[in-house]
Amino acid sequence: MNRSLSIEFSRVTEAAAISAHSWIGRGDKNAADEAAVKAMRYMLNRIHMDGEIVIGEGEIDDAPMLYIGEKVGSGMGEQVSIAVDPIDGTRMTAMGQSGALAVLAAGGKNTFLKAPDMYMEKLVVSAEAKGMIDLNLPIEQNLRRVASRKGKLMSELVVMVLAKPRHNEIIKQIQSLGAKVLAIPDGDVAASVQVCLPDAEADVLYGIGGAPEGVITAAAVRALGGDMQARLLPRNEVKDDTPENQQIAQEEMRRCQEMGVAVNQVLSLNELAHDDNLVFVATGITNGDLLKGIQIKGNFATTETLMIRGQSHTIRRIQSMHYLDGKDPDLYKSIAL
């Protein structure tokens, strides 16, 4: 993934973030997502590439989609596979909470796992604890292995977990071991990146969230030299085991079979992101620990974007100012959709 193409993807997440900005705190997560989806799709189609969405967003949240298999770009140039999450934290955006991002990962034609938009269990650590995690083992054994490798007592270990009812028991279990839990409302992509950064406060990310976010996370984790394991889970095993969720789960498993990916089977980092020909890009929507949110003054929008390239393992923070009065035609068109 060359540097100039990587920069083009930063413009995609910037447009999505700016488009979502007007929906911050308005209580309508689907409207925020729709605005980001439209802007992201428009900007992707402006790039000179033969692009394809290999894992998209929307099915879990009943929101508009950049659907799996959708072709994007000019149709010419480099073949690119793309994993998208126009807003990682739609509820956080709607409620005006911190940490919402517009995010994507792009790579070569066969770089990423192809899977339906369904639930995924994730376990992430930094490079220091690489090779010490195994989702087939209980969480206690994983934490003890990580603590041992990092030379920490359990009481010094910090674990980030999504604050969802499905995680209530595992949060109690982690705390009973003496470890500290940082419970986050949403946004496991940002949390996973934070775990893998050199100055990380947290040691481990654990949680069950969306598969698109999982594949995007894998791109960042690989580029940062960390480690990750994941497992696709049917909806009825995560949510209530109702007839409706059973029906959805059957469809998920059918689609997994078509795509050649197993359900309830541990996937390694290499299976999620197969090589280093990738880039991870995220732009802040609301202020968070990872990135500053959109700031608008007059006709200007200021964005902060994190770009991590797999081949060079470089981490760039890009601060940009954007005219909102049409001086940047592509950006202006995307946010006016």
Side-chain angles (χ1 to χ4, degrees):
M1 187 66 56
N2 64 57
R3 188 179 292 107
S4 61
L5 190 55
S6 298
I7 292 294
E8 289 294 321
F9 289 119
S10 71
R11 299 183 73 233
V12 174
T13 56
E14 287 166 357
I18 293 170
S19 295
H21 177 269
S22 63
W23 293 98
I24 293 174
R26 298 188 184 277
D28 191 339
K29 68 176 188 176
N30 285 341
D33 198 50
E34 181 179 7
V37 166
K38 287 181 177 179
M40 185 170 278
R41 180 185 284 119
Y42 177 84
M43 294 299 284
L44 284 170
N45 283 326
R46 305 293 295 177
I47 299 176
H48 182 67
M49 65 173 177
D50 180 6
E52 180 181 354
I53 306 298
V54 295
I55 188 162
E57 63 89 45
E59 292 162 271
I60 285 178
D61 297 321
D62 296 322
M65 287 189 291
L66 282 161
Y67 60 85
I68 296 169
E70 181 177 358
K71 298 292 185 179
V72 292
S74 66
M76 298 176 287
E78 187 174 345
Q79 289 186 311
V80 179
S81 61
I82 304 165
V84 297
D85 190 14
I87 300 181
D88 180 36
T90 52
R91 187 178 63 168
M92 293 152 69
T93 302
M95 299 305 293
Q97 297 172 336
S98 64
L101 307 172
V103 63
L104 66 76
K109 181 180 179 181
N110 298 309
T111 295
F112 299 124
L113 174 78
K114 294 183 179 181
D117 178 9
M118 57 191 293
Y119 282 103
M120 179 183 276
E121 184 181 18
K122 308 156 196 175
L123 185 60
V124 176
V125 292
S126 67
E128 196 177 353
K130 192 168 186 174
M132 300 305 293
I133 56 174
D134 185 349
L135 266 180
N136 287 314
L137 298 176
I139 190 68
E140 178 178 353
Q141 285 183 249
N142 277 286
L143 296 184
R144 292 195 183 280
R145 285 158 60 115
V146 171
S148 175
R149 171 60 65 87
K150 299 186 80 168
K152 291 188 173 186
L153 300 172
M154 282 297 290
S155 60
E156 298 174 313
L157 209 66
V158 178
V159 185
M160 300 186 82
V161 184
L162 286 173
K164 304 289 187 182
R166 58 181 174 268
H167 295 141
N168 287 346
E169 290 305 313
I170 205 152
I171 287 173
K172 291 178 184 177
Q173 182 184 353
I174 293 168
Q175 291 170 332
S176 73
L177 297 170
K180 181 188 293 185
V181 173
L182 299 182
I184 54 175
D186 287 293
D188 57 352
V189 175
S192 298
V193 173
Q194 287 175 263
V195 164
C196 293
L197 288 173
D199 57 350
E201 176 186 0
D203 302 286
V204 180
L205 179 284
Y206 173 81
I208 298 171
E213 293 91 337
V215 173
I216 294 168
T217 292
V221 172
R222 183 174 182 114
L224 291 167
D227 202 4
M228 175 178 179
Q229 289 194 353
R231 181 161 40 203
L232 293 167
L233 301 175
R235 188 181 182 95
N236 66 318
E237 293 183 13
V238 178
K239 309 287 279 186
D240 295 332
D241 192 24
T242 62
E244 180 184 0
N245 285 337
Q246 289 173 6
Q247 185 176 356
I248 293 172
Q250 288 177 358
E251 176 63 14
E252 290 170 341
M253 289 186 282
R254 182 193 67 78
R255 293 177 65 199
C256 282
Q257 187 174 16
E258 283 183 354
M259 296 171 132
V261 60
V263 178
N264 282 312
Q265 180 174 305
V266 174
L267 299 165
S268 69
L269 177 60
N270 284 341
E271 290 173 300
L272 296 163
H274 310 316
D275 56 57
D276 291 332
N277 181 29
L278 56 82
V279 63
F280 166 90
V281 186
T283 301
I285 298 172
T286 57
N287 286 326
D289 293 333
L290 183 64
L291 288 166
K292 294 177 183 177
I294 302 294
Q295 302 294 322
I296 293 183
K297 292 184 178 180
N299 288 328
F300 291 94
T302 303
T303 60
E304 185 175 45
T305 297
L306 180 69
M307 184 173 71
I308 309 170
R309 293 183 64 225
Q311 291 172 318
S312 61
H313 301 287
T314 52
I315 305 170
R316 288 184 172 87
R317 289 185 182 271
I318 305 168
Q319 290 189 326
S320 306
M321 293 188 70
H322 310 265
Y323 283 102
L324 301 179
D325 60 359
K327 287 183 167 52
D328 183 345
D330 283 349
L331 179 68
Y332 182 77
K333 173 66 176 174
S334 72
I335 63 176
L337 289 172

